[in-house]
Amino acid sequence: MIDDLRGTVVFITGAAGGIGLGMARAFAEAGAKIAVADIDMETLGQAAAELEDAGATVLPVRLDVTDRPAWTAAAEKVAATLGPVRVLCNNAGVSTLGLKFGEITPEFWDKVIDVNLNSVFNGVNCFLGPMRAACGGHIVNTSSMGGLMGGVPTLTPYAATKFGIVGLSEGLRAELADDGIGVSVLCPGGVRSRLWRTSRRIRGVPDTEVAPSDMSGQSAPPTGMDPYQVGLRVVDAVRKNELYVITHPEFRSAVVNRHEQLMAAFDRSEAANSESSRTPAEKTSP
């Protein structure tokens, strides 16, 4: 567990804006040194300048999270400039812009899987060895409330990746506990960010400065939570080594409903198994 973050090197993907930048602000306030990574260097440079103006030690790094060799180059640059990374925040992601499964092309599906899920593997694969060598660290993987409750038609492909991140994080936490490496999975609801813009780029839709009037399924509504508040929750979770990082308690009932359906399925299974174990005579007796 990392109680004191002062001087700790934190690597954050998708950090040019939104949740990634909110994390960077919160970790910087805690005294950490921040490596911010994104594919959009122009916007990332502006974010890094903002952090520096606030007194942070920050290094901007261009990174396509789907490019595995680029991860190695980024890690080497950060280690040489700031020191070994002790906290990794796999935050980069895209939404499916409200498209239902039948509207998703195979090519777009592959992009979503690569950016949302495979990038988490890439990050852990890159930094796990050095964390083990340092005898500890922490990994934060950004999922979504869509990775806990499901059942939203326009989020089906997106939720598939976010459920995957939850499962990956739970497995990693158990596997890495003896190595002194904590794992948290962030499951936010609506947060103000640039996700709808970056998702349009991934899909090949022309960019726009104006947020869609109907944000259902678009992700990152303009009226959502301040990303900085999400960042503060993440910093607290790292200090306390919490597994689940929940920022929007108003979704409790939806998650409870999903789990009640699961429990009901177990009840039906127990009843069916009990019935099948009865002898023919028992089944026909009054």
Side-chain angles (χ1 to χ4, degrees):
M1 188 163 62
I2 304 177
D3 295 315
D4 189 354
L5 288 162
R6 288 176 296 180
T8 298
V9 179
V10 180
F11 188 97
I12 306 170
T13 65
I19 292 175
L21 182 54
M23 288 183 189
R25 289 171 177 156
F27 276 112
E29 285 185 0
K33 295 185 286 187
I34 314 298
V36 287
D38 204 285
I39 198 170
D40 181 354
M41 277 304 291
E42 180 179 355
T43 307
L44 183 66
Q46 296 169 0
E50 174 189 324
L51 292 167
E52 287 180 341
D53 289 344
T57 299
V58 59
L59 175 68
V61 180
R62 186 189 185 282
L63 177 64
D64 176 350
V65 294
T66 68
D67 184 345
R68 286 173 183 154
W71 274 95
T72 301
E76 292 173 349
K77 180 177 180 179
V78 173
T81 307
L82 300 179
V85 170
R86 293 290 307 283
V87 178
L88 167 65
C89 298
N90 286 307
N91 173 71
V94 294
S95 78
T96 43
L97 298 170
L99 298 178
K100 295 182 180 179
F101 185 85
E103 299 170 322
I104 299 288
T105 66
E107 293 76 19
F108 189 46
W109 170 268
D110 288 344
K111 288 181 179 179
V112 173
I113 295 292
D114 280 344
V115 175
N116 286 3
L117 185 56
N118 287 341
S119 69
V120 177
F121 168 84
N122 294 341
V124 175
N125 184 57
C126 181
F127 286 107
L128 182 56
M131 283 187 185
R132 279 178 164 150
C135 299
H138 202 99
I139 298 167
V140 180
N141 298 323
T142 299
S143 177
S144 165
M145 195 54 62
L148 293 178
M149 62 184 193
V152 181
T154 56
L155 293 181
T156 300
Y158 175 81
T161 62
K162 296 304 183 177
F163 266 84
I165 292 171
V166 172
L168 175 59
S169 301
E170 290 173 341
L172 281 173
R173 184 178 176 90
E175 183 177 335
L176 302 179
D178 291 342
D179 294 314
I181 299 172
V183 179
S184 300
V185 57
L186 170 62
C187 299
V191 179
R192 296 199 303 271
S193 80
R194 302 164 57 251
L195 184 58
W196 58 274
R197 293 190 66 184
T198 55
S199 301
R200 289 172 68 90
R201 293 172 188 166
I202 289 291
R203 188 183 168 199
V205 178
D207 191 15
T208 175
E209 294 283 348
V210 182
S213 57
D214 176 15
M215 292 301 294
S216 61
Q218 297 283 350
S219 299
T223 57
M225 179 179 283
D226 186 336
Y228 170 68
Q229 296 300 321
V230 179
L232 291 176
R233 275 292 293 120
V234 170
V235 168
D236 187 57
V238 169
R239 285 176 168 151
K240 296 176 180 177
N241 192 22
E242 296 177 353
L243 172 55
Y244 304 107
V245 187
I246 304 297
T247 58
H248 291 66
E250 61 267 32
F251 287 97
R252 175 192 291 267
S253 60
V255 176
V256 169
N257 179 62
R258 176 175 181 270
H259 284 272
E260 286 179 342
Q261 292 182 61
L262 286 170
M263 294 304 101
F266 276 103
D267 292 341
R268 291 193 296 272
S269 176
E270 290 175 359
N273 290 345
S274 177
E275 177 65 18
S276 65
S277 66
R278 295 174 62 197
T279 65
E282 290 173 329
K283 293 178 180 179
T284 57
S285 62

